[in-house]
Amino acid sequence: MPTTSSIDGEDRASAWQRIAAWLIDWLRILILPLLLVPVGVVLYSAGLRLPVGLWNLISFLFLIAPVTLWCARRESDRFQATPGKRARGLIVVDARSGRPISFGRALLRNTAKIALPWELGHTVAYGFATAGRNPPDSLMVLTIIVYVIMFAWVGALFLPSTRTPYDLLGGTRVVSGSPTATRP
């Protein structure tokens, strides 16, 4: 199986390259929860009891939002890539021009890629943790939505274009290459 396909003179990153890059990034990203979970355990052990919605908001503000912003910043800076993409020789570019993308477009892309499914997953997890024996139907529907999103994101990598829904939304593509000196 070829690792890349040429598209408009650039080499489109394969699904496996992108998955490997994401796994490398997650090794870095996991440092943040490893630091935050003990803080939550200590606070809970000390008697701090917050409503589930507030815990979800706190996890969004201290975990999901920083990771999303970090990835967006890395994909819109001079490297045009997160550390995982850099390790695999990949960059994120404008789908039409092949030029670097702005922070706003990188943020839109990473909000759809990271923040949306992660936050929905947290909502489902918190919901099941507090639902008892009879979770509401809405929680089951939300669970299905989370899985559909995850499978759509990964499945799209294996389509001929290798462009995911978040690539389409952001007007981007991931290609093999080196960062360009020009900015959007």
Side-chain angles (χ1 to χ4, degrees):
M1 172 190 303
T3 57
T4 59
S5 301
S6 181
I7 183 167
D8 296 335
E10 291 184 331
D11 288 327
R12 180 176 51 220
S14 75
W16 295 113
Q17 286 176 302
R18 292 181 68 175
I19 290 168
W22 189 232
L23 290 173
I24 292 167
D25 287 334
W26 271 99
L27 289 175
R28 288 176 174 248
I29 290 167
L30 285 174
I31 293 168
L32 189 55
L34 287 173
L35 297 172
L36 292 175
V37 167
V39 173
V41 169
V42 167
L43 292 173
Y44 188 82
S45 297
L48 180 64
R49 301 293 185 266
L50 299 174
V52 171
L54 188 53
W55 277 120
N56 202 7
L57 176 63
I58 291 168
S59 67
F60 179 83
L61 293 174
F62 287 93
L63 183 60
I64 299 169
V67 168
T68 303
L69 290 167
W70 176 74
C71 288
R73 176 70 180 120
R74 295 305 302 253
E75 291 179 354
S76 65
D77 71 9
R78 65 187 176 99
F79 296 114
Q80 296 174 249
T82 59
K85 286 183 186 73
R86 285 187 65 204
R88 301 297 301 161
L90 306 177
I91 57 172
V92 178
V93 298
D94 178 272
R96 289 195 177 134
S97 70
R99 293 175 48 119
I101 60 171
S102 67
F103 176 76
R105 288 186 51 206
L107 183 59
L108 176 65
R109 179 183 189 279
N110 283 286
T111 296
K113 176 184 176 182
I114 299 167
L116 174 67
W118 198 353
E119 178 54 35
L120 290 176
H122 268 193
T123 301
V124 166
Y126 285 126
F128 276 113
T130 59
R133 294 180 184 244
N134 296 314
D137 290 340
S138 60
L139 192 56
M140 300 306 287
V141 169
L142 190 56
T143 301
I144 292 167
I145 290 169
V146 169
Y147 278 99
V148 167
I149 290 171
M150 289 183 344
F151 286 119
W153 279 200
V154 173
L157 292 171
F158 293 93
L159 295 175
S161 73
T162 69
R163 288 184 69 203
T164 61
Y166 54 85
D167 286 321
L168 295 171
L169 181 64
T172 62
R173 63 183 164 175
V174 178
V175 297
S176 295
S178 300
T180 58
T182 58
R183 297 301 314 148

